[in-house]
Every structure is written in structure tokens, then in C-alpha cells.
């Protein structure tokens, strides 16, 4: 029986999902002239992905600019007339109604110039949409179009999807009874999460619990959680399933080999080898198990020797013979005659 650090874990099965995902679609209609990326390529935000034939949009921009220039000339002439007729109006050379018409014409042309500016800005925007760029950094997926295709604004299908791979989420659910425990431990510190993706390399990735849903799923009675991982080596892949372990705490506790624990109608117990080499049946209280160890909260003391094998031949209060892993045996003085073959065996636990 010895003390060691045994983490308190919550195990679950989770699914990997990108923190950010962008489905790239065309915002203008035209012929696809160029594909500037390869499938599965890493791209940065702002990188060029596709080019649509810009000539119709260049013509539309030139037309909008010409209309704006025409309106600007008309506005300048209207302003000059307002200045000229203001002086005539002050000298009662023209009626106030006529002067008011020139002022209204100036205001209408000023508003029309604003509309022309907006038309030019929209034409420039449509021209910019001909160069489709990455809205996020990540890795591109399957290309659903080819050069020469006619692409249309509002198409339901994406031209390509970009998924952010680093950092990345792992989403998982735990039973609702863990809510109070998670809330209590999370209030003390950031909870560590280990995730092991399937495959030959079972080295886990380390992350942190960053999200707890604000409601319990009524249909399943589970709480949704998310952990964030740097995923520098891209071992975690979107939509992949993985084994998740949330570490709530890592206390130092009293442990014993799980093979020493016996079950009976009265509860769980262990055979303890006393200093005089006799066996004692000791009821114990178990908190939890971790791997091949069992955490004991009551019934044992650090340094005690317990029987881990051959319990069926152990009789409480009778001598036992401790055999080392190499197979050598140490005879116990005071053993009953004729019980050589029926004596209990136990492996001495290292302390």
C-alpha cells in the first residue's frame, strides 16, 4: 500500500470540429477564368483563390464613372446659376419662385451626384468580387468547379470549403450529473483535457476545456463541452472521433493494486499480511480505480503488505507464505503441519 498522484478523470468520446469554417461561393455571375489553388492546400486569409472574367464589370465601372462625371458637370452649372440668380433676385430682377427653382435643381443634382458616387462604389465592389480571396486561414478541401465553368451568385453549392486546423475544437458530451463537479473544479483553475486520436500513434494531445453549454440536452440528459487544442502537427482532423479525458484534479492518495481487492456479500475487502506473517481480512472503502490501481479511503495504512494473488487459499488468522516474483519461497514459522500446499500466497507490494 503506497501513496501516489492519481488524477480524477472524466472520460468521453468526442468529435473534432474546426473553430472556423468558410464555404466559398461566388458573389457575382461570370466565367471562371482561373483557379489559383490546389485541393488540400494551406492558405492564409486574403490569398487569391479564384478569378472570374472581370471585363463586364470593368465596363460597368467605366459607365458608372461616366454618369458620375456627367452629373458633376450638371451640378457645377446649377451652382453657378444659383449664384447668378441670387444677385438678380436680390435686385428684384427675377421672381423668388424662379430663383427657388434653380435652388431646387441644385439640390436635386447634388443628391444625384451622391447616387452616382454610390453606383461607382458598387461597380468597384462588383469588380473586386471577381477576385475571390480566402476569408480565413486554413486548409482547402475538394474543388467543386473547373476553369471555364459559369459560376453564379447565390449558387447553393460551395466552390471550395476552408477549415481551420490550428487551433481546433474537440466537442464531447458528459452525463448531466457531472455538471456540479465540473463547475466546482473549473472555478479553481483551467481544466486540462487529453484527447487520443485513433491510429497507430496513440500519443495524446493536450488542450484545455474552453466551453460549457448553457443548457442540458433534454433528449439525452447530457452536457455539451468543448476543448481547444493547438494541433500544431495536425493530428486532429475535422469530423474525426477521438477518446477524451478531462482532468479535474491530481491529488496524492493511498492506492493498492486492484488485484488485491476482493468482493463478498458484506462488501469489499483485502487480505493484509501482518508483521507476524498471518493474514487479516480487512474491510475497505474504495473511492475509485485508475488503471491497475485502486484508491482506498478507509481500511488500509501506507506501507502495509497485501495479498494480490492466491486469495482462495488464504485463511484469516492463519500464517501465509510470501513468494517473491522469482518464485523463491520464505517459510513461515508456526505454520500448521500439513498445510504446506494449502497456504495462501501473496506478492509483496513494493512501497
Amino acid at each position: 500500500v503506497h501513496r501516489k498522484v492519481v488524477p480524477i478523470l472524466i472520460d468521453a468520446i468526442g468529435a473534432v470540429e474546426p473553430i472556423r469554417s468558410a464555404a466559398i461561393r461566388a458573389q457575382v455571375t461570370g466565367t471562371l477564368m482561373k483557379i489559383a489553388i490546389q485541393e488540400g492546400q494551406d492558405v492564409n486569409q486574403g490569398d487569391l483563390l479564384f478569378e472570374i472574367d472581370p471585363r463586364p464589370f470593368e465596363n460597368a465601372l467605366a459607365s458608372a464613372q461616366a454618369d458620375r462625371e456627367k452629373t458633376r458637370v450638371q451640378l457645377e452649372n446649377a451652382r453657378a446659376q444659383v449664384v447668378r440668380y441670387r444677385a438678380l433676385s436680390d435686385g428684384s430682377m427675377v421672381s423668388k419662385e424662379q430663383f427657388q427653382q434653380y435652388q431646387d435643381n441644385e439640390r436635386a443634382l447634388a443628391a444625384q451626384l451622391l447616387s452616382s458616387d454610390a453606383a461607382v462604389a458598387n461597380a468597384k465592389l462588383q469588380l473586386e468580387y471577381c477576385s475571390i480571396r480566402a476569408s480565413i486561414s486554413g486548409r482547402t478541401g475538394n474543388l467543386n468547379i473547373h476553369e471555364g465553368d459559369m459560376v453564379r451568385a447565390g449558387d447553393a453549392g460551395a466552390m471550395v470549403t476552408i477549415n481551420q486546423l490550428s487551433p481546433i475544437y474537440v466537442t464531447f458530451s458528459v452525463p448531466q450529473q457531472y455538471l456540479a463537479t465540473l463547475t466546482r473544479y473549473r472555478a479553481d483553475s483551467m481544466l486540462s483535457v487529453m484527447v487520443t486520436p485513433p491510429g497507430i500513434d496513440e500519443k495524446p494531445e493536450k488542450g484545455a476545456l474552453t466551453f460549457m453549454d448553457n443548457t442540458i440536452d433534454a433528449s439525452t440528459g447530457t452536457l455539451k463541452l468543448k476543448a481547444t487544442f493547438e494541433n500544431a502537427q495536425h493530428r486532429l482532423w475535422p469530423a474525426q472521433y477521438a477518446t477524451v479525458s478531462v482532468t479535474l484534479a491530481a491529488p496524492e492518495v493511498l492506492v493498492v493494486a486492484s488485484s488485491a481487492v476482493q468482493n463478498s456479500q458484506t462488501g469489499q475487502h483485502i487480505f493484509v499480511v501482518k508483521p507476524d506473517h498471518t493474514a487479516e481480512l480487512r474491510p475497505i472503502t474504495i473511492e475509485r480505480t485508475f488503471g491497475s490501481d485502486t484508491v482506498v479511503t478507509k481500511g488500509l495504512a501506507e506501507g502495509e503488505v497485501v495479498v494480490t494473488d492466491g486469495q482462495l487459499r488464504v485463511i484469516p488468522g492463519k500464517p501465509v507464505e510470501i513468494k517473491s516474483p522469482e518464485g523463491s519461497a520464505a517459510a513461515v514459522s508456526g505454520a500448521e503441519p500439513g498445510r504446506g500446499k494449502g497456504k495462501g500466497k501473496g506478492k509483496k507490494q513494493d512501497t
Side-chain angles (χ1 to χ4, degrees):
V1 182
H2 58 287
R3 303 188 72 85
K4 66 182 292 188
V5 174
V6 179
I8 302 174
L9 303 178
I10 298 177
D11 295 326
I13 299 297
V16 183
E17 65 179 42
I19 294 178
R20 301 173 68 194
S21 181
I24 306 300
R25 295 181 174 87
Q27 293 178 274
V28 294
T29 299
T31 303
L32 185 64
M33 303 297 292
K34 179 181 178 181
I35 298 178
I37 57 170
Q38 301 291 329
E39 293 179 320
Q41 175 183 334
D42 289 325
V43 295
N44 295 317
Q45 186 174 357
D47 286 353
L48 179 66
L49 304 178
F50 308 100
E51 283 189 356
I52 296 173
D53 186 2
R55 290 173 296 178
F57 303 96
E58 290 172 347
N59 294 338
L61 175 60
S63 177
Q65 289 172 334
D67 290 341
R68 182 179 63 179
E69 190 63 28
K70 177 182 177 181
T71 303
R72 181 180 287 114
V73 171
Q74 291 174 341
L75 178 60
E76 290 175 355
N77 181 55
R79 285 173 176 170
Q81 286 182 328
V82 168
V83 172
R84 182 166 55 253
Y85 279 88
R86 177 176 284 111
L88 294 176
S89 177
D90 292 342
S92 299
M93 301 296 292
V94 295
S95 65
K96 292 183 178 181
E97 290 79 6
Q98 188 176 5
F99 176 62
Q100 186 66 42
Q101 289 178 357
Y102 285 109
Q103 286 183 314
D104 291 345
N105 184 49
E106 179 195 10
R107 288 195 294 268
L109 288 172
Q112 187 174 344
L113 181 61
L114 292 176
S115 178
S116 297
D117 288 340
V120 170
N122 184 62
K124 287 182 178 179
L125 185 61
Q126 298 297 307
L127 182 59
E128 290 178 3
Y129 285 158
C130 291
S131 297
I132 303 175
R133 299 184 178 274
S135 55
I136 63 172
S137 298
R139 179 164 295 188
T140 60
N142 179 56
L143 291 173
N144 300 315
I145 40 80
H146 304 86
E147 291 182 355
D149 286 351
M150 175 65 72
V151 295
R152 293 175 174 81
D155 279 349
M159 302 170 72
V160 70
T161 299
I162 301 174
N163 286 329
Q164 177 181 314
L165 299 182
S166 180
I168 203 166
Y169 278 145
V170 173
T171 302
F172 56 101
S173 297
V174 297
Q176 60 183 352
Q177 55 263 33
Y178 287 115
L179 174 60
T181 303
L182 284 166
T183 303
R184 174 162 51 91
Y185 282 105
R186 195 183 183 205
D188 296 334
S189 63
M190 181 71 73
L191 298 184
S192 174
V193 180
M194 305 296 287
V195 61
T196 305
I200 300 176
D201 182 10
E202 295 186 353
K203 181 181 178 182
E205 292 280 331
K206 184 176 181 180
L209 185 67
T210 53
F211 171 78
M212 288 178 59
D213 204 354
N214 60 358
T215 184
I216 299 293
D217 189 334
S219 61
T220 61
T222 58
L223 174 66
K224 184 178 181 180
L225 306 172
K226 287 185 181 181
T228 303
F229 298 83
E230 283 301 323
N231 198 32
Q233 299 179 355
H234 294 173
R235 295 179 63 232
L236 301 177
W237 214 250
Q240 180 186 43
Y241 287 97
T243 303
V244 181
S245 292
V246 182
T247 302
L248 301 178
E252 186 178 69
V253 291
L254 200 66
V255 299
V256 69
S258 296
S259 59
V261 180
Q262 300 293 298
N263 295 302
S264 66
Q265 294 180 348
T266 58
Q268 294 169 314
H269 65 269
I270 281 181
F271 286 109
V272 178
V273 181
K274 299 169 66 176
D276 61 357
H277 285 206
T278 58
E280 176 188 357
L281 189 150
R282 187 87 58 81
I284 60 171
T285 301
I286 293 176
E287 180 184 82
R288 54 194 167 92
T289 60
F290 182 79
S292 60
D293 293 325
T294 295
V295 178
V296 179
T297 58
K298 184 178 180 181
L300 293 176
E302 184 177 2
E304 288 188 308
V305 178
V306 299
V307 178
T308 61
D309 186 28
Q311 287 94 335
L312 293 177
R313 291 181 282 177
V314 176
I315 299 175
K318 299 297 183 179
V320 297
E321 178 183 326
I322 301 175
K323 290 189 175 181
S324 66
E326 291 78 12
S328 60
V332 180
S333 61
E336 295 183 7
R339 286 189 176 270
K341 294 183 179 181
K343 297 172 185 176
K345 297 186 296 180
K347 296 179 180 177
K348 188 175 182 179
Q349 181 74 26
D350 294 333
T351 60

